[in-house]
């Protein structure tokens, strides 16, 4: 799966939410300042070329829909992040999050419960 630029990812987030959309539908969801219509149309075409989107044609109008779901993209992106920045280790990810104060006490307790439940299931 080819990586997305920040702009492409922002567009995909909107299309995943809408499930199918015309360029103007995506544009309407953008926060201010909105990109020019033609710029947005180019980003959508790039996403189609990368295999993330396809479209149905209605006269001169194209309705775009995702070919890759958000969960599959999350999975691929996270695995790449862990591989490239954390030596492929979930422990390194969690260690980083603790050091950066990104996990609350409740988050840690929830993780401990998940680990315990996993241990019980695999015994």
């Amino acid at each position: 799966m080819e990586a997305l630029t920040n702009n492409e990812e922002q567009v995909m987030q909107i299309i995943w939410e809408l499930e199918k959309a015309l360029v103007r539908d995506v544009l309407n969801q953008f926060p201010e300042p909105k990109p020019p219509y033609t710029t947005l149309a180019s980003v959508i075409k790039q996403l189609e070329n990368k295999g993330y989107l396809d479209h149905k044609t209605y006269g001169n109008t194209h309705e775009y829909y995702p070919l890759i779901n958000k969960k599959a993209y999350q999975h691929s992106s996270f695995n790449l992040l862990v591989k490239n920045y954390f030596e492929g280790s979930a422990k390194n990810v969690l260690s980083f999050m603790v050091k950066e104060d990104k996990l609350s006490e409740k988050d840690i307790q929830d993780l401990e419960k998940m680990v315990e439940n996993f241990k019980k299931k695999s015994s």
Side-chain angles (χ1 to χ4, degrees):
M1 187 175 307
E2 192 172 344
L4 298 179
T5 67
N6 289 340
N7 289 340
E8 291 169 340
E9 198 167 297
Q10 188 175 15
V11 170
M12 283 304 300
Q13 292 289 350
I14 292 169
I15 293 176
W16 281 320
E17 185 178 316
L18 296 174
E19 296 180 4
K20 55 186 177 182
L22 307 174
V23 174
R24 74 171 173 258
D25 297 330
V26 176
L27 188 61
N28 289 337
Q29 295 296 313
F30 255 84
E32 294 293 339
K34 295 182 187 293
Y37 182 94
T38 54
T39 301
L40 181 56
S42 293
V43 172
I44 289 173
K45 186 49 96 178
Q46 290 167 350
L47 286 165
E48 194 171 20
N49 291 339
K50 287 183 174 184
Y52 281 84
L53 297 176
D54 202 353
H55 71 271
K56 291 182 183 175
T57 303
Y58 302 98
N60 292 334
T61 305
H62 292 98
E63 180 181 60
Y64 294 92
Y65 56 92
L67 292 176
I68 295 173
N69 68 38
K70 187 174 184 177
K71 188 167 183 89
Y73 182 72
Q74 287 172 327
H75 182 78
S76 174
S77 296
F78 185 73
N79 285 341
L80 193 59
L81 176 80
V82 171
K83 178 184 170 199
N84 289 342
Y85 295 97
F86 298 99
E87 293 85 39
S89 167
K91 178 183 170 189
N92 290 348
V93 173
L94 288 172
S95 175
F96 173 81
M97 293 179 76
V98 168
K99 288 176 187 172
E100 293 293 313
D101 202 25
K102 299 293 183 191
L103 291 175
S104 69
E105 188 62 39
K106 178 160 180 6
D107 291 335
I108 293 169
Q109 290 170 359
D110 290 346
L111 286 167
E112 287 172 342
K113 286 178 189 173
M114 282 187 240
V115 169
E116 283 302 315
N117 288 337
F118 178 76
K119 284 181 181 178
K120 289 176 186 174
K121 287 180 184 176
S122 44
S123 307

